[in-house]
Amino acid sequence: MTIKIRMRGKSKNGIAEVKALIKHPMESGVRMNKKTGKPYPAKFIDTLEVLVNDAKAVDAEWSGAVSANPYMAVKVKANAGDNVTVNLTDNTGETGSETITLK
Amino acid sequence: MKRRLFLKNTLATGAAVVAANAGLLTPTSVLADWNKAAFSAKTTDEALNGAFGSANATESGDIKLKAPAIAENGAVTPVTVDASAIDGVESIAILASKNPQPLVCQYNFGAAAEGYVSTRIKMGETMNVIAVVKAGGKLLKAQQEVKVTIGGCGG
């Protein structure tokens, strides 16, 4: 199953704020299941990258302390019509990718 | 209790953690290489050493750190770090000082990006949010206390 990403981005004066909402449980591996007394297994997005026209602009590493269904915004140098892509992977190997064209 | 949790987690992640602790982990993955040593560190200083190789950051007024003074729900604390006033920002890390593993996330920027990050993080209790910015080989930081009324770690 791939991870769902919703993205939006608008360029103003050559700088675009790119916002992404990701559907993911972000289970840190620390939270206890009170019924079994064992922690829920860790499942969180650990690496993420933002590409502008296929060139890497930002790469990020996350821990399980990023909120569930993460929201992220970054600013990149890009103009209207440029393609911005977000690629991400979680610690279980699931991946997600989404590309938008900037307004 | 915390000690027990820690042991369990260590066992769960097993050999990888041992390798990271021994400094044997070599980066191989295609995406950014997940820095296990920094992310599993228990103190902010250890985390910074793991992430940047140094914990010696100076306070800077050029970093705009936006976080709520009071977070009603610690599981979704909005945090924005704006370091676009600083030239040549290479990296931004966000840390929550009293979380079991303080390092929350780290962003590395290429030439096509501005030093700006906005995200939402989990905080277990009232603590400081610390933004550390690496620019021109120097470490700069800004911090703010966030009061948490409901914890974000399943409490």
Side-chain angles (χ1 to χ4, degrees):
Chain A
M1 216 185 89
T2 54
I3 300 164
K4 279 185 187 152
I5 311 170
R6 282 169 59 203
M7 274 172 73
R8 202 168 275 187
K10 204 172 183 183
S11 179
K12 197 179 170 190
N13 301 328
I15 291 177
E17 181 167 14
V18 178
K19 298 171 182 174
L21 256 181
I22 302 152
K23 197 171 157 73
H24 199 279
M26 296 302 284
E27 193 62 71
S28 64
V30 176
R31 197 167 66 99
M32 279 297 191
N33 182 337
K34 289 198 175 89
K35 276 183 193 151
T36 63
K38 290 192 181 122
Y40 291 97
K43 182 171 176 60
F44 56 91
I45 295 165
D46 55 9
T47 53
L48 178 148
E49 60 181 6
V50 181
L51 311 174
V52 178
N53 292 334
D54 295 329
K56 190 184 274 193
V58 180
D59 73 47
E61 294 171 37
W62 285 4
S63 75
V66 174
S67 299
N69 296 325
Y71 163 81
M72 179 199 69
V74 293
K75 284 183 179 168
V76 293
K77 291 176 183 125
N79 296 306
D82 286 347
N83 288 324
V84 177
T85 306
V86 169
N87 292 327
L88 48 82
T89 313
D90 77 7
N91 66 327
T92 63
E94 249 183 65
T95 58
S97 180
E98 179 73 23
T99 303
I100 56 162
T101 305
L102 291 176
K103 280 181 191 160
Chain B
M1 189 60 202
K2 267 187 183 159
R3 189 184 168 84
R4 198 174 292 170
L5 260 175
F6 166 53
L7 283 174
K8 264 184 188 164
N9 292 337
T10 315
L11 288 176
T13 34
V17 170
V18 174
N21 285 346
L24 295 172
L25 208 69
T26 42
T28 47
S29 76
V30 183
L31 281 171
D33 314 302
W34 203 65
N35 191 340
K36 277 207 175 71
F39 280 107
S40 53
K42 299 285 177 294
T43 64
T44 53
D45 280 2
E46 272 176 43
L48 286 177
N49 269 325
F52 297 110
S54 163
N56 195 4
T58 39
E59 298 263 352
S60 168
D62 291 332
I63 305 168
K64 281 189 209 128
L65 172 62
K66 205 170 108 189
I70 297 172
E72 277 174 24
N73 183 354
V76 277
T77 316
V79 176
T80 301
V81 181
D82 187 350
S84 47
I86 302 168
D87 282 337
V89 175
E90 293 160 38
S91 179
I92 292 179
I94 298 173
L95 296 94
S97 61
K98 284 191 196 163
N99 271 5
Q101 285 109 28
L103 186 59
V104 175
C105 53
Q106 184 181 1
Y107 289 79
N108 299 309
F109 300 102
E114 293 276 295
Y116 172 93
V117 161
S118 178
T119 187
R120 297 193 293 223
I121 68 170
K122 296 176 198 166
M123 300 176 78
E125 54 183 309
T126 298
M127 64 176 87
N128 287 326
V129 173
I130 309 168
V132 177
V133 175
K134 186 180 182 191
K138 280 187 196 152
L139 287 183
L140 306 165
K141 70 172 178 180
Q143 61 181 22
Q144 188 193 322
E145 191 188 53
V146 175
K147 283 198 163 57
V148 175
T149 47
I150 309 172
C153 296

